[in-house]
Amino acid sequence: MNSFTEENYLKAIYKFSLLHEKGASTNSIAQALNTKASSVTDMLKKLAVKKLINYKKYYGVTLTNKGEQIAISIIRNHRLWEVFLVEKLSFKWDEVHELAEELEHIKSEKLINNLDAFLNFPSNDPHGDPIPNKNGKMKKLKMINMSELKTNEEGIFIHVKDSSDKFLKYLSKNKLEIGKKIKVIEIEPFDNSFKIAFDNQQLILSENVAKNIYIQN
Amino acid sequence: MNSFTEENYLKAIYKFSLLHEKGASTNSIAQALNTKASSVTDMLKKLAVKKLINYKKYYGVTLTNKGEQIAISIIRNHRLWEVFLVEKLSFKWDEVHELAEELEHIKSEKLINNLDAFLNFPSNDPHGDPIPNKNGKMKKLKMINMSELKTNEEGIFIHVKDSSDKFLKYLSKNKLEIGKKIKVIEIEPFDNSFKIAFDNQQLILSENVAKNIYIQN
DNA sequence: TTATTTTTTTAGATTAATCTAAATATTTTA
DNA sequence: TAAAATATTTAGATTAATCTAAAAAAATAA
Ligand SMILES: [Mn+2]
Ligand SMILES: [Mn+2]
Ligand SMILES: [Mn+2]
Ligand SMILES: [Mn+2]
């Protein structure tokens, strides 16, 4: 059995692997988990002994098959709990992440599979992320970053890169939610800000915000 | 904030207080939590510093108001999760306790109050135990003496009259514990002894023992 | 290709929760 | 009430996860 802490390390390494080709560096993991590089090194040794990661001193780490399976199952738990909280317990999409961080570590196959069925086998969480099925398979999202859109192009908002409470609350405040159809009205060359239209309203997004929004492709 | 471990100690002391007048002894807590007396002493010191228990060396411990509030809220969580698992996720009543032991420690007022509402404010868990409301109030159990039961009647073991060590040890030895569902198989007219069934086993109780056991009504 | 900077690892501590064994205190028994 | 038994606490270790500071390796720059 793995501790909550070990599981969080595996998850961090897995998420890194989705964005980069190389293995995760000690520092990148430390940053993701808000801890120190020396603590990371200690944990990497431990995970290597358990054969959950491929670790060689001074090289980046990658997950073994076993490690990846665990990471994916934790992510499945996390996303299913988020759906539950939003759909059944009337939470807002910007209130569920931290709670899911705790719930994801409750270990019971039966619990999570029954929850999945209870929720009707949802394919995406409230932030648009795909939910792995019980075999760890999930559909890959086809999407492009909003900053790649040109004037007059449109598409459906399906994913946020940064799912921090702060960012999600900013979006909620502006009624900009997953599933909405968005059209680019104008791109300001000066600061790369986007003027967009959705729901019969217009909104200006900074370059930074635009880069955190993904559009279905 | 209190750790899972601290919460489990508070719960054990609270449960002890429901059955006995005196404070919980170091040994009784050790037994309840499946740990050693020396570990218990360490933890009691810590809980005393936090003003969650009244502790004096070599005396039994009791909960302070603050400690009791926490214990009751953990119990509320536990029982609501049990209802959820049985009513919504199709678990059997004998499959939920261990999972609820984990879920009960997820700390979020909003989570538990919304869960309560989602379940329609149930007043009892799947084993018949009352669920405290958000203010910690719960209805008192109505119970009858086991010796009043007739053949084939059944009920949940919820209280002991004689709380001497001897008697409790006798019960423990026979795995006859609070919360168990008991069915009367046969009453021997000769000595008024009860043959009962619980947990897929049978046991014969003397009249004396039967008179010390209370059944939910 | 040295020298400098950055990254990673190691060494040595700390904190929470636990344990065993030994020392005390309390309770029971004779 | 003194001896024996039982219960509780203390002393000293251990394990997991973390930290700071220092050492070592790798990457970058001059
Ligand atoms: Mn999340
Ligand atoms: Mn987590
Ligand atoms: Mn239970
Ligand atoms: Mn518990």
Side-chain angles (χ1 to χ4, degrees):
Chain A
M1 197 67 335
N2 311 292
S3 68
F4 289 16
T5 311
E6 290 168 317
E7 291 177 349
N8 285 337
Y9 274 85
L10 295 176
K11 222 173 47 151
I13 297 165
Y14 177 78
K15 289 191 168 174
F16 188 94
S17 78
L18 295 179
L19 302 177
H20 309 86
E21 278 307 301
K22 318 215 69 183
S25 68
T26 302
N27 262 352
S28 68
I29 297 170
Q31 190 173 25
L33 295 176
N34 208 0
T35 184
K36 303 294 172 182
S38 55
S39 306
V40 174
T41 301
D42 285 346
M43 182 58 84
L44 294 183
K45 287 176 185 168
K46 196 172 145 193
L47 294 173
V49 169
K50 286 184 157 193
K51 306 235 195 266
L52 299 175
I53 61 171
N54 306 114
Y55 174 59
K56 227 180 91 183
K57 267 192 197 177
Y58 294 104
Y59 282 67
V61 291
T62 55
L63 295 177
T64 61
N65 276 351
K66 209 172 138 201
E68 183 172 293
Q69 270 180 22
I70 295 170
I72 289 173
S73 97
I74 305 297
I75 286 170
R76 169 170 157 81
N77 295 355
H78 183 103
R79 293 180 182 167
L80 283 171
W81 280 115
E82 287 190 339
V83 173
F84 170 71
L85 293 172
V86 169
E87 306 227 317
K88 304 295 183 182
L89 298 196
S90 51
F91 275 73
K92 300 284 181 292
W93 76 326
D94 57 356
E95 299 174 319
V96 297
H97 182 74
E98 286 312 312
L99 257 177
E101 281 294 311
E102 296 191 53
L103 288 162
E104 70 187 8
H105 301 292
I106 305 280
K107 271 169 281 293
S108 162
E109 288 259 323
K110 179 165 184 173
L111 169 63
I112 214 65
N113 290 336
N114 288 16
L115 180 63
D116 195 14
F118 179 60
L119 297 170
N120 261 130
F121 308 101
S123 53
N124 296 92
D125 80 4
H127 314 103
D129 293 304
I131 299 175
N133 70 14
K134 77 168 78 171
N135 302 313
K137 300 270 175 250
M138 69 184 121
K139 69 164 200 278
K140 229 188 171 171
L141 283 179
K142 279 193 204 160
M143 56 193 181
I144 57 169
N145 194 272
M146 179 163 161
S147 65
E148 292 173 45
L149 291 184
K150 312 246 184 308
T151 303
N152 281 325
E153 286 183 347
E154 58 183 22
I156 293 165
F157 173 21
I158 48 161
H159 181 71
V160 286
K161 183 176 162 199
D162 172 1
S163 60
S164 68
D165 277 17
K166 237 180 217 163
F167 183 57
L168 297 179
K169 278 193 176 122
Y170 163 81
L171 294 177
S172 289
K173 203 175 62 192
N174 289 292
K175 302 265 185 284
L176 192 45
E177 287 155 6
I178 295 281
K180 297 237 158 142
K181 197 177 199 178
I182 291 171
K183 182 174 185 180
V184 178
I185 302 297
E186 194 184 338
I187 302 170
E188 174 58 52
F190 169 62
D191 62 356
N192 293 317
S193 66
F194 278 64
K195 183 192 278 182
I196 63 169
F198 66 100
D199 280 355
N200 300 318
Q201 61 175 303
Q202 294 197 347
L203 186 63
I204 291 175
L205 306 179
S206 71
E207 180 180 16
N208 195 5
V209 168
K211 284 199 163 148
N212 277 310
I213 290 179
Y214 283 79
I215 298 295
Q216 189 167 47
N217 196 9
Chain B
M1 198 67 330
N2 311 292
S3 68
F4 289 16
T5 311
E6 289 169 317
E7 290 177 349
N8 285 338
Y9 273 85
L10 295 176
K11 226 175 43 154
I13 297 165
Y14 177 79
K15 289 192 167 174
F16 188 94
S17 79
L18 295 179
L19 301 179
H20 314 269
E21 278 306 304
K22 317 215 70 183
S25 67
T26 301
N27 262 352
S28 69
I29 297 170
Q31 190 174 25
L33 296 176
N34 207 1
T35 184
K36 303 293 170 181
S38 54
S39 306
V40 173
T41 301
D42 285 345
M43 182 58 83
L44 294 183
K45 288 176 184 168
K46 195 171 144 193
L47 294 172
V49 169
K50 287 185 155 193
K51 305 234 194 266
L52 299 175
I53 62 171
N54 306 114
Y55 174 60
K56 228 180 90 183
K57 268 192 200 175
Y58 294 103
Y59 282 66
V61 291
T62 55
L63 295 176
T64 62
N65 276 352
K66 209 173 139 202
E68 183 173 294
Q69 270 180 23
I70 294 170
I72 289 174
S73 97
I74 304 297
I75 286 170
R76 170 171 158 80
N77 295 354
H78 182 104
R79 294 180 182 166
L80 283 171
W81 280 116
E82 287 190 340
V83 173
F84 170 72
L85 293 172
V86 168
E87 307 227 317
K88 303 294 182 181
L89 299 196
S90 50
F91 276 72
K92 301 283 181 291
W93 78 320
D94 58 353
E95 299 175 317
V96 297
H97 182 76
E98 287 311 313
L99 257 177
E101 281 295 311
E102 297 190 52
L103 288 161
E104 69 187 9
H105 301 291
I106 305 280
K107 272 168 280 295
S108 162
E109 287 258 321
K110 180 166 183 172
L111 169 63
I112 213 66
N113 290 336
N114 288 15
L115 180 63
D116 194 15
F118 179 60
L119 297 171
N120 262 129
F121 307 101
S123 53
N124 296 90
D125 79 4
H127 315 102
D129 292 305
I131 299 174
N133 70 14
K134 75 169 80 172
N135 302 313
K137 300 269 176 251
M138 66 183 122
K139 69 165 200 278
K140 232 193 169 164
L141 285 179
K142 284 192 205 157
M143 53 198 186
I144 57 168
N145 194 274
M146 180 164 161
S147 64
E148 293 171 46
L149 289 184
K150 312 247 184 305
T151 303
N152 280 326
E153 286 184 343
E154 57 183 23
I156 293 162
F157 174 22
I158 49 163
H159 186 68
V160 286
K161 181 177 166 199
D162 171 3
S163 59
S164 70
D165 277 14
K166 235 178 219 166
F167 184 56
L168 293 180
K169 274 186 180 134
Y170 163 81
L171 293 178
S172 292
K173 202 178 60 190
N174 289 293
K175 302 264 186 287
L176 191 45
E177 290 155 5
I178 295 284
K180 298 239 158 138
K181 195 178 200 178
I182 290 171
K183 182 172 185 179
V184 178
I185 301 296
E186 194 184 340
I187 303 171
E188 175 58 54
F190 169 63
D191 62 357
N192 291 318
S193 67
F194 279 64
K195 184 192 278 183
I196 63 167
F198 66 100
D199 280 357
N200 301 319
Q201 60 176 301
Q202 296 196 345
L203 185 64
I204 291 175
L205 307 179
S206 70
E207 179 178 20
N208 194 8
V209 168
K211 284 200 162 149
N212 277 310
I213 289 178
Y214 282 79
I215 299 295
Q216 185 169 50
N217 194 10

